[in-house]
Amino acid sequence: MTLSDINVGVVGVGFIGVAHVEALRRLSINVGGVVGSSPERARAKAKAANLPAVYESVEALAADPGIDAVHIASPNYAHADQVRTCLAAGKHVVCEKPLALTSADGADLVERADAAGVVNAVCFNIRFYPLGHQMASMVRDGTIGEPRFITGSYLQDWLLLDTDWNWRLVPEEAGALRAVADIGSHWLDLARFVTGKRIVEVMADLHTFVPVRRHPAGPVETFAAAGAADEGELIEEPMSSDDGAGILLRFEDGARGVVAISQTSAGRKNSVSIEIDGSKSALSWFSEDPDQLWIGHRGRANELLQRDPSLNAPEAVRITAYPAGHVEGYPDTFRALFAQIYEDVLGGGPSAEPTYPTFADGLDVLHVTEAVVRSSREQRWVTVER
């Protein structure tokens, strides 16, 4: 069996669903069908984006014996039930974050996936920039000494205006937590992956900078042009979810951290930064210059390490697809992540130590984000309950 013998279904035909389809096709994995919020919308999107056949429902997709794996890229509220449906049908499952809206649901999905013995993964693709794996390798081998201080941000501007709109602004569809759940979860996973340390306590300040938004009656595509909702009659809607957040972090073994998260930072389209300050040296990486890693020193000149298969650690080389000087960016992270996942699919089940984020990783981030909500509400340090 080869990758081209695998048939995959994708649930969700928005921005992320299409990204999944494109990455799977790059790996020569066959995308056998898609499911949308409605068959009509799915058929229209399938025609426009050259997507494959449309299934009438997730149940119909899961019931097809010809489908080996299912990718869930639907609105957040639907994830848990859709994953359960696919697990019950014996499918391997790749789910967008968040895995579920609550840690209770997340824990249930972890148990069900383990019982089913199927490959299960959460799409924390940001850790799959090659230099993310390079940083993790350098921390593991002691290059920077003991990690002490982890700082960074994840900033976007696509929800800056009061006419910017998307289903992620609707708590019934996305959950009560928005910016932290949507993009902050990626940073939290990246910090844990790179340092190898879990977050054990948080002090969070969540804020809604745009208290009232104006939107059309119909849906607006994710990352639509600024002001795309500013046409026709608009509905005014009070907002309660977080536009931005500042979070202090305590990691196991005593490391400290701080992260800023915002979807209303003008000029920042999809900007991720992370720095790990160790007892010997420091590492700093920025997604807008993804092929360059800064290495800081005290007693000698600082260094810049390029993404280069001839220079990087084996863990980074394994997920690198192009030679040095040929930039690998956001779409390539999906290809790199899916390549790791489908090695296990070819093997028939999850390996003893998966090289990709599993449902258990998704559950861990849910525990952290729930602590973030409690901390902001109660204005105090909160322990992450696992």
PDB file of all heavy atoms in Angstrom, residues 58-91:
ATOM      1  N   VAL A  58     -21.812  14.142   7.149  1.00  0.00           N
ATOM      2  CA  VAL A  58     -20.666  13.475   7.753  1.00  0.00           C
ATOM      3  C   VAL A  58     -20.967  11.989   7.926  1.00  0.00           C
ATOM      4  O   VAL A  58     -20.094  11.129   7.734  1.00  0.00           O
ATOM      5  CB  VAL A  58     -20.317  14.112   9.110  1.00  0.00           C
ATOM      6  CG1 VAL A  58     -19.199  13.343   9.810  1.00  0.00           C
ATOM      7  CG2 VAL A  58     -19.927  15.571   8.929  1.00  0.00           C
ATOM      8  N   GLU A  59     -22.208  11.671   8.278  1.00  0.00           N
ATOM      9  CA  GLU A  59     -22.601  10.267   8.459  1.00  0.00           C
ATOM     10  C   GLU A  59     -22.437   9.485   7.165  1.00  0.00           C
ATOM     11  O   GLU A  59     -21.950   8.340   7.173  1.00  0.00           O
ATOM     12  CB  GLU A  59     -24.046  10.194   8.942  1.00  0.00           C
ATOM     13  CG  GLU A  59     -24.279  10.684  10.364  1.00  0.00           C
ATOM     14  CD  GLU A  59     -24.236  12.202  10.508  1.00  0.00           C
ATOM     15  OE1 GLU A  59     -24.308  12.915   9.480  1.00  0.00           O
ATOM     16  OE2 GLU A  59     -24.108  12.690  11.652  1.00  0.00           O
ATOM     17  N   ALA A  60     -22.815  10.096   6.043  1.00  0.00           N
ATOM     18  CA  ALA A  60     -22.671   9.423   4.751  1.00  0.00           C
ATOM     19  C   ALA A  60     -21.202   9.212   4.404  1.00  0.00           C
ATOM     20  O   ALA A  60     -20.815   8.158   3.886  1.00  0.00           O
ATOM     21  CB  ALA A  60     -23.373  10.238   3.666  1.00  0.00           C
ATOM     22  N   LEU A  61     -20.374  10.216   4.700  1.00  0.00           N
ATOM     23  CA  LEU A  61     -18.939  10.092   4.450  1.00  0.00           C
ATOM     24  C   LEU A  61     -18.340   8.980   5.308  1.00  0.00           C
ATOM     25  O   LEU A  61     -17.604   8.117   4.807  1.00  0.00           O
ATOM     26  CB  LEU A  61     -18.253  11.422   4.752  1.00  0.00           C
ATOM     27  CG  LEU A  61     -16.723  11.445   4.682  1.00  0.00           C
ATOM     28  CD1 LEU A  61     -16.251  11.195   3.259  1.00  0.00           C
ATOM     29  CD2 LEU A  61     -16.182  12.776   5.198  1.00  0.00           C
ATOM     30  N   ALA A  62     -18.663   8.979   6.593  1.00  0.00           N
ATOM     31  CA  ALA A  62     -18.101   7.983   7.501  1.00  0.00           C
ATOM     32  C   ALA A  62     -18.560   6.569   7.156  1.00  0.00           C
ATOM     33  O   ALA A  62     -17.839   5.595   7.406  1.00  0.00           O
ATOM     34  CB  ALA A  62     -18.482   8.322   8.938  1.00  0.00           C
ATOM     35  N   ALA A  63     -19.757   6.443   6.584  1.00  0.00           N
ATOM     36  CA  ALA A  63     -20.301   5.128   6.253  1.00  0.00           C
ATOM     37  C   ALA A  63     -19.705   4.540   4.982  1.00  0.00           C
ATOM     38  O   ALA A  63     -19.896   3.350   4.706  1.00  0.00           O
ATOM     39  CB  ALA A  63     -21.826   5.222   6.120  1.00  0.00           C
ATOM     40  N   ASP A  64     -18.973   5.341   4.224  1.00  0.00           N
ATOM     41  CA  ASP A  64     -18.403   4.863   2.971  1.00  0.00           C
ATOM     42  C   ASP A  64     -17.190   3.974   3.267  1.00  0.00           C
ATOM     43  O   ASP A  64     -16.175   4.452   3.784  1.00  0.00           O
ATOM     44  CB  ASP A  64     -17.967   6.063   2.119  1.00  0.00           C
ATOM     45  CG  ASP A  64     -17.505   5.646   0.728  1.00  0.00           C
ATOM     46  OD1 ASP A  64     -17.187   4.453   0.522  1.00  0.00           O
ATOM     47  OD2 ASP A  64     -17.429   6.519  -0.155  1.00  0.00           O
ATOM     48  N   PRO A  65     -17.262   2.685   2.945  1.00  0.00           N
ATOM     49  CA  PRO A  65     -16.141   1.786   3.239  1.00  0.00           C
ATOM     50  C   PRO A  65     -14.889   2.113   2.437  1.00  0.00           C
ATOM     51  O   PRO A  65     -13.795   1.649   2.776  1.00  0.00           O
ATOM     52  CB  PRO A  65     -16.697   0.396   2.871  1.00  0.00           C
ATOM     53  CG  PRO A  65     -17.782   0.677   1.874  1.00  0.00           C
ATOM     54  CD  PRO A  65     -18.384   1.986   2.276  1.00  0.00           C
ATOM     55  N   GLY A  66     -15.031   2.913   1.400  1.00  0.00           N
ATOM     56  CA  GLY A  66     -13.871   3.278   0.582  1.00  0.00           C
ATOM     57  C   GLY A  66     -13.046   4.412   1.159  1.00  0.00           C
ATOM     58  O   GLY A  66     -11.951   4.701   0.664  1.00  0.00           O
ATOM     59  N   ILE A  67     -13.556   5.074   2.213  1.00  0.00           N
ATOM     60  CA  ILE A  67     -12.831   6.178   2.848  1.00  0.00           C
ATOM     61  C   ILE A  67     -12.014   5.637   4.019  1.00  0.00           C
ATOM     62  O   ILE A  67     -12.543   4.981   4.915  1.00  0.00           O
ATOM     63  CB  ILE A  67     -13.810   7.266   3.340  1.00  0.00           C
ATOM     64  CG1 ILE A  67     -14.526   7.915   2.154  1.00  0.00           C
ATOM     65  CG2 ILE A  67     -13.083   8.310   4.180  1.00  0.00           C
ATOM     66  CD1 ILE A  67     -13.621   8.740   1.240  1.00  0.00           C
ATOM     67  N   ASP A  68     -10.717   5.911   4.006  1.00  0.00           N
ATOM     68  CA  ASP A  68      -9.817   5.403   5.046  1.00  0.00           C
ATOM     69  C   ASP A  68      -9.645   6.376   6.212  1.00  0.00           C
ATOM     70  O   ASP A  68      -9.462   5.953   7.356  1.00  0.00           O
ATOM     71  CB  ASP A  68      -8.437   5.115   4.445  1.00  0.00           C
ATOM     72  CG  ASP A  68      -8.500   4.130   3.297  1.00  0.00           C
ATOM     73  OD1 ASP A  68      -8.902   2.977   3.551  1.00  0.00           O
ATOM     74  OD2 ASP A  68      -8.157   4.506   2.163  1.00  0.00           O
ATOM     75  N   ALA A  69      -9.663   7.671   5.913  1.00  0.00           N
ATOM     76  CA  ALA A  69      -9.405   8.685   6.938  1.00  0.00           C
ATOM     77  C   ALA A  69     -10.269   9.903   6.664  1.00  0.00           C
ATOM     78  O   ALA A  69     -10.662  10.160   5.517  1.00  0.00           O
ATOM     79  CB  ALA A  69      -7.931   9.078   6.953  1.00  0.00           C
ATOM     80  N   VAL A  70     -10.555  10.646   7.739  1.00  0.00           N
ATOM     81  CA  VAL A  70     -11.382  11.843   7.609  1.00  0.00           C
ATOM     82  C   VAL A  70     -10.673  13.015   8.293  1.00  0.00           C
ATOM     83  O   VAL A  70     -10.159  12.880   9.407  1.00  0.00           O
ATOM     84  CB  VAL A  70     -12.773  11.651   8.250  1.00  0.00           C
ATOM     85  CG1 VAL A  70     -13.594  12.933   8.141  1.00  0.00           C
ATOM     86  CG2 VAL A  70     -13.515  10.489   7.579  1.00  0.00           C
ATOM     87  N   HIS A  71     -10.668  14.158   7.601  1.00  0.00           N
ATOM     88  CA  HIS A  71     -10.151  15.403   8.161  1.00  0.00           C
ATOM     89  C   HIS A  71     -11.329  16.280   8.547  1.00  0.00           C
ATOM     90  O   HIS A  71     -12.212  16.548   7.721  1.00  0.00           O
ATOM     91  CB  HIS A  71      -9.274  16.131   7.144  1.00  0.00           C
ATOM     92  CG  HIS A  71      -7.936  15.508   6.932  1.00  0.00           C
ATOM     93  ND1 HIS A  71      -6.759  16.220   6.928  1.00  0.00           N
ATOM     94  CD2 HIS A  71      -7.581  14.206   6.723  1.00  0.00           C
ATOM     95  CE1 HIS A  71      -5.745  15.401   6.725  1.00  0.00           C
ATOM     96  NE2 HIS A  71      -6.219  14.172   6.587  1.00  0.00           N
ATOM     97  N   ILE A  72     -11.343  16.738   9.795  1.00  0.00           N
ATOM     98  CA  ILE A  72     -12.417  17.591  10.304  1.00  0.00           C
ATOM     99  C   ILE A  72     -11.934  19.042  10.286  1.00  0.00           C
ATOM    100  O   ILE A  72     -11.033  19.419  11.041  1.00  0.00           O
ATOM    101  CB  ILE A  72     -12.824  17.198  11.738  1.00  0.00           C
ATOM    102  CG1 ILE A  72     -13.181  15.713  11.809  1.00  0.00           C
ATOM    103  CG2 ILE A  72     -13.958  18.082  12.235  1.00  0.00           C
ATOM    104  CD1 ILE A  72     -14.406  15.314  11.030  1.00  0.00           C
ATOM    105  N   ALA A  73     -12.514  19.861   9.420  1.00  0.00           N
ATOM    106  CA  ALA A  73     -12.143  21.281   9.305  1.00  0.00           C
ATOM    107  C   ALA A  73     -13.403  22.141   9.306  1.00  0.00           C
ATOM    108  O   ALA A  73     -13.516  23.114   8.562  1.00  0.00           O
ATOM    109  CB  ALA A  73     -11.325  21.517   8.033  1.00  0.00           C
ATOM    110  N   SER A  74     -14.341  21.772  10.150  1.00  0.00           N
ATOM    111  CA  SER A  74     -15.632  22.446  10.263  1.00  0.00           C
ATOM    112  C   SER A  74     -15.581  23.443  11.417  1.00  0.00           C
ATOM    113  O   SER A  74     -14.590  23.517  12.147  1.00  0.00           O
ATOM    114  CB  SER A  74     -16.719  21.400  10.505  1.00  0.00           C
ATOM    115  OG  SER A  74     -16.356  20.584  11.613  1.00  0.00           O
ATOM    116  N   PRO A  75     -16.643  24.228  11.643  1.00  0.00           N
ATOM    117  CA  PRO A  75     -16.680  25.104  12.823  1.00  0.00           C
ATOM    118  C   PRO A  75     -16.498  24.319  14.123  1.00  0.00           C
ATOM    119  O   PRO A  75     -16.882  23.152  14.232  1.00  0.00           O
ATOM    120  CB  PRO A  75     -18.067  25.741  12.727  1.00  0.00           C
ATOM    121  CG  PRO A  75     -18.335  25.796  11.260  1.00  0.00           C
ATOM    122  CD  PRO A  75     -17.759  24.507  10.720  1.00  0.00           C
ATOM    123  N   ASN A  76     -15.931  24.989  15.109  1.00  0.00           N
ATOM    124  CA  ASN A  76     -15.472  24.334  16.340  1.00  0.00           C
ATOM    125  C   ASN A  76     -16.536  23.504  17.046  1.00  0.00           C
ATOM    126  O   ASN A  76     -16.263  22.420  17.556  1.00  0.00           O
ATOM    127  CB  ASN A  76     -14.933  25.380  17.313  1.00  0.00           C
ATOM    128  CG  ASN A  76     -13.782  26.180  16.733  1.00  0.00           C
ATOM    129  OD1 ASN A  76     -13.244  25.845  15.677  1.00  0.00           O
ATOM    130  ND2 ASN A  76     -13.397  27.242  17.411  1.00  0.00           N
ATOM    131  N   TYR A  77     -17.770  24.034  17.101  1.00  0.00           N
ATOM    132  CA  TYR A  77     -18.817  23.366  17.881  1.00  0.00           C
ATOM    133  C   TYR A  77     -19.119  21.967  17.354  1.00  0.00           C
ATOM    134  O   TYR A  77     -19.606  21.099  18.098  1.00  0.00           O
ATOM    135  CB  TYR A  77     -20.112  24.201  17.867  1.00  0.00           C
ATOM    136  CG  TYR A  77     -20.890  24.093  16.576  1.00  0.00           C
ATOM    137  CD1 TYR A  77     -21.920  23.162  16.438  1.00  0.00           C
ATOM    138  CD2 TYR A  77     -20.588  24.901  15.482  1.00  0.00           C
ATOM    139  CE1 TYR A  77     -22.629  23.040  15.248  1.00  0.00           C
ATOM    140  CE2 TYR A  77     -21.290  24.789  14.295  1.00  0.00           C
ATOM    141  CZ  TYR A  77     -22.304  23.865  14.175  1.00  0.00           C
ATOM    142  OH  TYR A  77     -22.986  23.741  12.989  1.00  0.00           O
ATOM    143  N   ALA A  78     -18.829  21.724  16.070  1.00  0.00           N
ATOM    144  CA  ALA A  78     -19.172  20.442  15.446  1.00  0.00           C
ATOM    145  C   ALA A  78     -18.093  19.385  15.619  1.00  0.00           C
ATOM    146  O   ALA A  78     -18.339  18.196  15.373  1.00  0.00           O
ATOM    147  CB  ALA A  78     -19.450  20.654  13.955  1.00  0.00           C
ATOM    148  N   HIS A  79     -16.886  19.774  16.025  1.00  0.00           N
ATOM    149  CA  HIS A  79     -15.756  18.843  16.021  1.00  0.00           C
ATOM    150  C   HIS A  79     -16.024  17.569  16.804  1.00  0.00           C
ATOM    151  O   HIS A  79     -15.830  16.462  16.295  1.00  0.00           O
ATOM    152  CB  HIS A  79     -14.505  19.526  16.585  1.00  0.00           C
ATOM    153  CG  HIS A  79     -13.925  20.564  15.681  1.00  0.00           C
ATOM    154  ND1 HIS A  79     -12.774  21.272  15.983  1.00  0.00           N
ATOM    155  CD2 HIS A  79     -14.332  21.038  14.473  1.00  0.00           C
ATOM    156  CE1 HIS A  79     -12.506  22.116  15.011  1.00  0.00           C
ATOM    157  NE2 HIS A  79     -13.439  21.993  14.089  1.00  0.00           N
ATOM    158  N   ALA A  80     -16.445  17.690  18.061  1.00  0.00           N
ATOM    159  CA  ALA A  80     -16.543  16.515  18.926  1.00  0.00           C
ATOM    160  C   ALA A  80     -17.500  15.471  18.364  1.00  0.00           C
ATOM    161  O   ALA A  80     -17.154  14.277  18.263  1.00  0.00           O
ATOM    162  CB  ALA A  80     -16.965  16.925  20.336  1.00  0.00           C
ATOM    163  N   ASP A  81     -18.699  15.888  17.979  1.00  0.00           N
ATOM    164  CA  ASP A  81     -19.677  14.922  17.461  1.00  0.00           C
ATOM    165  C   ASP A  81     -19.221  14.325  16.132  1.00  0.00           C
ATOM    166  O   ASP A  81     -19.422  13.125  15.878  1.00  0.00           O
ATOM    167  CB  ASP A  81     -21.046  15.591  17.303  1.00  0.00           C
ATOM    168  CG  ASP A  81     -21.745  15.794  18.637  1.00  0.00           C
ATOM    169  OD1 ASP A  81     -21.343  15.137  19.628  1.00  0.00           O
ATOM    170  OD2 ASP A  81     -22.687  16.603  18.693  1.00  0.00           O
ATOM    171  N   GLN A  82     -18.616  15.141  15.271  1.00  0.00           N
ATOM    172  CA  GLN A  82     -18.152  14.628  13.988  1.00  0.00           C
ATOM    173  C   GLN A  82     -17.000  13.648  14.169  1.00  0.00           C
ATOM    174  O   GLN A  82     -16.927  12.620  13.476  1.00  0.00           O
ATOM    175  CB  GLN A  82     -17.754  15.787  13.076  1.00  0.00           C
ATOM    176  CG  GLN A  82     -18.950  16.617  12.626  1.00  0.00           C
ATOM    177  CD  GLN A  82     -18.565  17.837  11.818  1.00  0.00           C
ATOM    178  OE1 GLN A  82     -17.407  18.242  11.779  1.00  0.00           O
ATOM    179  NE2 GLN A  82     -19.545  18.452  11.167  1.00  0.00           N
ATOM    180  N   VAL A  83     -16.109  13.937  15.104  1.00  0.00           N
ATOM    181  CA  VAL A  83     -15.024  12.991  15.387  1.00  0.00           C
ATOM    182  C   VAL A  83     -15.590  11.682  15.914  1.00  0.00           C
ATOM    183  O   VAL A  83     -15.157  10.591  15.502  1.00  0.00           O
ATOM    184  CB  VAL A  83     -14.018  13.598  16.396  1.00  0.00           C
ATOM    185  CG1 VAL A  83     -13.049  12.523  16.891  1.00  0.00           C
ATOM    186  CG2 VAL A  83     -13.251  14.749  15.754  1.00  0.00           C
ATOM    187  N   ARG A  84     -16.569  11.757  16.818  1.00  0.00           N
ATOM    188  CA  ARG A  84     -17.179  10.531  17.351  1.00  0.00           C
ATOM    189  C   ARG A  84     -17.776   9.686  16.224  1.00  0.00           C
ATOM    190  O   ARG A  84     -17.631   8.459  16.207  1.00  0.00           O
ATOM    191  CB  ARG A  84     -18.260  10.882  18.373  1.00  0.00           C
ATOM    192  CG  ARG A  84     -17.733  11.416  19.685  1.00  0.00           C
ATOM    193  CD  ARG A  84     -18.858  11.560  20.710  1.00  0.00           C
ATOM    194  NE  ARG A  84     -18.384  12.190  21.930  1.00  0.00           N
ATOM    195  CZ  ARG A  84     -18.561  13.469  22.251  1.00  0.00           C
ATOM    196  NH1 ARG A  84     -19.239  14.260  21.435  1.00  0.00           N
ATOM    197  NH2 ARG A  84     -18.088  13.956  23.376  1.00  0.00           N
ATOM    198  N   THR A  85     -18.460  10.339  15.297  1.00  0.00           N
ATOM    199  CA  THR A  85     -19.061   9.625  14.174  1.00  0.00           C
ATOM    200  C   THR A  85     -18.006   8.891  13.366  1.00  0.00           C
ATOM    201  O   THR A  85     -18.181   7.717  12.992  1.00  0.00           O
ATOM    202  CB  THR A  85     -19.832  10.606  13.274  1.00  0.00           C
ATOM    203  OG1 THR A  85     -20.901  11.185  14.010  1.00  0.00           O
ATOM    204  CG2 THR A  85     -20.385   9.912  12.037  1.00  0.00           C
ATOM    205  N   CYS A  86     -16.900   9.553  13.099  1.00  0.00           N
ATOM    206  CA  CYS A  86     -15.847   8.944  12.283  1.00  0.00           C
ATOM    207  C   CYS A  86     -15.108   7.849  13.033  1.00  0.00           C
ATOM    208  O   CYS A  86     -14.754   6.811  12.457  1.00  0.00           O
ATOM    209  CB  CYS A  86     -14.880  10.029  11.805  1.00  0.00           C
ATOM    210  SG  CYS A  86     -15.655  11.250  10.708  1.00  0.00           S
ATOM    211  N   LEU A  87     -14.880   8.040  14.331  1.00  0.00           N
ATOM    212  CA  LEU A  87     -14.229   6.996  15.121  1.00  0.00           C
ATOM    213  C   LEU A  87     -15.096   5.744  15.200  1.00  0.00           C
ATOM    214  O   LEU A  87     -14.591   4.620  15.115  1.00  0.00           O
ATOM    215  CB  LEU A  87     -13.933   7.507  16.537  1.00  0.00           C
ATOM    216  CG  LEU A  87     -12.862   8.590  16.689  1.00  0.00           C
ATOM    217  CD1 LEU A  87     -12.768   9.035  18.141  1.00  0.00           C
ATOM    218  CD2 LEU A  87     -11.502   8.089  16.193  1.00  0.00           C
ATOM    219  N   ALA A  88     -16.401   5.954  15.358  1.00  0.00           N
ATOM    220  CA  ALA A  88     -17.320   4.811  15.438  1.00  0.00           C
ATOM    221  C   ALA A  88     -17.309   3.995  14.149  1.00  0.00           C
ATOM    222  O   ALA A  88     -17.574   2.788  14.163  1.00  0.00           O
ATOM    223  CB  ALA A  88     -18.732   5.300  15.745  1.00  0.00           C
ATOM    224  N   ALA A  89     -16.989   4.661  13.037  1.00  0.00           N
ATOM    225  CA  ALA A  89     -16.924   3.969  11.744  1.00  0.00           C
ATOM    226  C   ALA A  89     -15.537   3.396  11.478  1.00  0.00           C
ATOM    227  O   ALA A  89     -15.298   2.837  10.395  1.00  0.00           O
ATOM    228  CB  ALA A  89     -17.318   4.940  10.626  1.00  0.00           C
ATOM    229  N   GLY A  90     -14.624   3.547  12.438  1.00  0.00           N
ATOM    230  CA  GLY A  90     -13.290   2.967  12.300  1.00  0.00           C
ATOM    231  C   GLY A  90     -12.341   3.758  11.432  1.00  0.00           C
ATOM    232  O   GLY A  90     -11.327   3.215  10.966  1.00  0.00           O
ATOM    233  N   LYS A  91     -12.628   5.042  11.219  1.00  0.00           N
ATOM    234  CA  LYS A  91     -11.768   5.864  10.372  1.00  0.00           C
ATOM    235  C   LYS A  91     -10.619   6.471  11.179  1.00  0.00           C
ATOM    236  O   LYS A  91     -10.774   6.797  12.356  1.00  0.00           O
ATOM    237  CB  LYS A  91     -12.570   7.015   9.736  1.00  0.00           C
ATOM    238  CG  LYS A  91     -13.854   6.599   9.035  1.00  0.00           C
ATOM    239  CD  LYS A  91     -13.621   5.612   7.902  1.00  0.00           C
ATOM    240  CE  LYS A  91     -14.944   5.303   7.174  1.00  0.00           C
ATOM    241  NZ  LYS A  91     -14.793   4.247   6.149  1.00  0.00           N
TER     242      LYS A  91
END
